[in-house]
Amino acid sequence: MDKLIIHGQNALHGELEISGAKNAALPILIASLLTEDTLLLTHVPHLQDVNTTKSLLTYMGVDIQFENDSTQLTAKKIINKNVPYERVKTMRASILVLGPLLARFGEAQVSLPGGCAIGSRPVDIHIKGLQAMSAKIDIHNGYIEASTKHLPKSKLQGCKFYMDIVTVTGTENLMMAASLAEGITVLENAAKEPEVVDLGKCLNKMGAKIKGLGTDVITIEGVDSLHKASHDIIFDRIEAGTYLAATAMTGGEVLLKNVQFKYLDAIIQKLTETGVKIESHKNSIRIRSDGKLKAVSIRTAPYPAFPTDMQAQMMALNTIAEGISEITETIFENRFMHVQELTRMGAEIDIRGNTAIIKGKEYLEGASVMATDLRASASLVIASLAARGQTTIERIYHLDRGYEKLEDKLNQLGADIKRIH
Ligand code: EPU
């Protein structure tokens, strides 16, 4: 297993191109299942989760071609409408094939994902939404068996559905399913994340009729079929936020390219409170930091509030900021696994329920630590960049799932990171 060896305390300087968003790319790749025509995508990031999605789609019969940095997906003939546990276990986003398969082919068997490192993460809202659209759903031997064969023309029926909890992939699954349903579907309390909007924009280019994207009521008028389209994946706001937090901690000056300020509002507001200077330009952001930070308290919540996917990185930042901060995680019940590892590096963190209380210290010290999930790993990397001495991070396969060329990008800015195979 690969590990990273990081020597800390190099200030970061230079320019960096932010990649396409993982959490937009995954549903959009899967949206190719909704049409027999070709979907052409650009800015698909090179990530392990993207490879896993492509391998799932290939297994199902989708033809995938690469040309000049673009990915072409054609789902003319689907041979497998059954997604086994091994594939959903590897990547929970695989549950997103359920809506498209059911809407286009009238049947699907997808394994229930089960829990994961950051929480129990049920998919009950995905299932209830499809049931509200009149699908017949049985759970047998850990599989969701869904069918519309009993419905007129085997088509899902549009409906009004209120989602009890704001769910990103739940909204995406139902939005894709409703695109090919009979009649109008109204999703209430829908997710407003930019990645959900990006999927909706791509579906509209494919001929879907979706309104209300970016609001909590999304209306989808079903159409008979979708067609070919091309789409450029939105930038990864969490990747951008991670590099902003890293620069804030190490000090330095970095220009991030291929980013839009408006999608980073909550993150930039909190970073600005720490004392760093951030300037926005048309498609870029510049950050300047002298490494002297003030502690900031944070509460995670669905977009446009502060994203849970940046919680661990801001925790790392607070460990060396002046003052005491509180970080409350409201989305996932077990997303504090980085705390133990940061403590190994000298951080002072006390957990009370879903709140972590962090007492900022002058510096962290290098140590041997273990990556536990994607964003926890990112927090350990940025903590190591600011720490005194050498840090070894084990189990970094989590990082490869969601950060494109992480160590190359950081080394390009002056960091000292080596990957040991
Ligand atoms: N939930 C339910 N029932 C459901 C669906 C969700 O109770 O049917 C709960 C979850 O357990 C959680 C909350 O609702 O407590 C929100 O979960 P959500 O469904 O929004 O999460 P997700 O769609 O599974 C996506 C991202 C995550 C990100 C969350 C929250 C993708 C592929 N994943 O997950 O990304 O943390 O939204 O913004 O889009 C990451 O990139 O590191 C990551 C974990």
Side-chain angles (χ1 to χ4, degrees):
M1 260 191 257
D2 290 6
K3 57 183 168 186
L4 292 182
I5 302 208
I6 303 180
H7 287 99
Q9 297 216 309
N10 289 3
L12 300 180
H13 284 279
E15 294 185 2
L16 201 60
E17 181 90 17
I18 296 300
S19 304
K22 167 178 86 73
N23 289 347
L26 303 183
I28 291 174
L29 287 163
I30 290 173
S32 66
L33 288 171
L34 286 162
T35 173
E36 58 174 29
D37 289 348
T38 300
L39 180 61
L40 190 148
L41 303 175
T42 46
H43 268 118
V44 176
H46 298 99
L47 302 170
Q48 194 48 46
D49 273 8
V50 165
N51 293 341
T52 307
T53 306
K54 286 179 181 165
S55 131
L56 167 66
L57 292 172
T58 306
Y59 156 84
M60 296 172 81
V62 180
D63 176 58
I64 307 182
Q65 305 286 334
F66 306 93
E67 208 175 280
N68 302 332
D69 261 0
S70 69
T71 306
Q72 296 185 26
L73 304 105
T74 314
K76 213 173 191 66
K77 205 162 165 237
I78 292 303
I79 45 178
N80 275 316
K81 295 173 198 124
N82 182 321
V83 182
Y85 179 58
E86 281 60 42
R87 293 191 181 263
V88 185
K89 185 181 71 176
T90 323
M91 193 193 62
R92 296 179 50 85
S94 307
I95 189 73
L96 284 167
V97 303
L98 181 63
L101 280 182
L102 191 57
R104 184 166 156 211
F105 302 102
E107 57 174 326
Q109 294 85 40
V110 181
S111 168
L112 279 166
C116 76
I118 61 177
S120 66
R121 300 181 80 182
V123 289
D124 55 319
I125 298 170
H126 302 232
I127 294 173
K128 281 185 197 149
L130 293 172
Q131 282 171 330
M133 293 166 85
S134 302
K136 188 168 172 294
I137 298 193
D138 293 310
I139 312 274
H140 278 307
N141 306 326
Y143 276 77
I144 306 165
E145 298 182 356
S147 168
T148 59
K149 300 290 183 198
H150 59 293
L151 296 171
K153 293 193 271 173
S154 292
K155 288 189 93 176
L156 287 166
Q157 305 292 303
C159 70
K160 196 170 181 180
F161 182 66
Y162 175 84
M163 286 181 267
D164 289 336
I165 299 176
V166 178
T167 154
V168 171
T169 48
T171 304
E172 292 168 342
N173 225 340
L174 298 178
M175 199 162 74
M176 289 194 275
S179 296
L180 290 180
E182 188 75 41
I184 294 177
T185 303
V186 180
L187 300 177
E188 292 179 336
N189 201 27
K192 300 190 281 264
E193 270 66 5
E195 295 76 23
V196 178
V197 176
D198 204 41
L199 167 68
K201 284 184 181 166
C202 176
L203 293 171
N204 280 343
K205 288 180 191 162
M206 294 165 74
K209 292 188 175 165
I210 307 177
K211 288 191 184 140
L213 290 167
T215 76
D216 52 13
V217 181
I218 300 180
T219 306
I220 307 124
E221 187 182 334
V223 294
D224 283 339
S225 61
L226 296 183
H227 52 68
K228 71 173 184 180
S230 48
H231 184 75
D232 189 43
I233 308 279
I234 191 175
F235 80 98
D236 197 316
R237 64 195 165 100
I238 305 302
E239 187 197 18
T242 303
Y243 293 131
L244 289 174
T247 313
M249 288 175 75
T250 60
E253 180 172 341
V254 170
L255 181 77
L256 299 183
K257 297 196 285 193
N258 182 37
V259 293
Q260 283 168 280
F261 197 80
K262 62 178 175 185
Y263 297 121
L264 288 162
D265 263 355
I267 298 171
I268 286 178
Q269 200 173 309
K270 286 296 168 187
L271 283 170
T272 306
E273 275 180 46
T274 69
V276 304
K277 298 277 174 282
I278 298 183
E279 276 169 26
S280 78
H281 304 278
K282 192 159 173 268
N283 284 316
S284 62
I285 292 178
R286 183 181 298 280
I287 177 167
R288 284 191 196 92
S289 166
D290 59 8
K292 294 192 182 73
L293 305 170
K294 287 191 212 80
V296 282
S297 290
I298 283 163
R299 186 181 179 84
T300 66
Y303 188 85
F306 195 89
T308 173
D309 292 343
M310 273 299 296
Q311 179 257 108
Q313 298 88 315
M314 289 305 281
M315 174 108 59
L317 181 149
N318 273 318
T319 63
I320 55 159
E322 188 193 331
I324 293 176
S325 55
E326 287 190 7
I327 294 194
T328 304
E329 171 59 53
T330 74
I331 307 285
F332 294 110
E333 69 267 30
N334 193 25
R335 214 175 194 182
F336 277 155
M337 288 195 307
H338 39 285
V339 168
Q340 260 182 335
E341 303 303 303
L342 289 170
T343 306
R344 293 173 61 74
M345 299 177 72
E348 263 188 57
I349 308 172
D350 190 17
I351 298 182
R352 293 196 199 142
N354 67 343
T355 298
I357 298 146
I358 305 122
K359 190 167 168 219
K361 299 188 70 174
E362 205 180 321
Y363 58 87
L364 295 178
E365 280 178 346
S368 285
V369 292
M370 189 100 83
T372 47
D373 73 74
L374 173 58
R375 308 304 171 186
S377 319
S379 80
L380 296 178
V381 171
I382 66 175
S384 320
L385 292 177
R388 288 188 181 171
Q390 174 180 306
T391 301
T392 307
I393 309 183
E394 312 242 11
R395 297 207 186 154
I396 52 153
Y397 53 84
H398 293 289
L399 279 172
D400 297 331
R401 293 186 60 175
Y403 286 90
E404 186 172 60
K405 298 193 184 133
L406 177 100
E407 67 262 33
D408 293 352
K409 286 188 176 183
L410 285 167
N411 283 342
Q412 176 191 325
L413 298 177
D416 179 355
I417 309 182
K418 281 189 195 67
R419 182 182 286 248
I420 309 287
H421 294 289

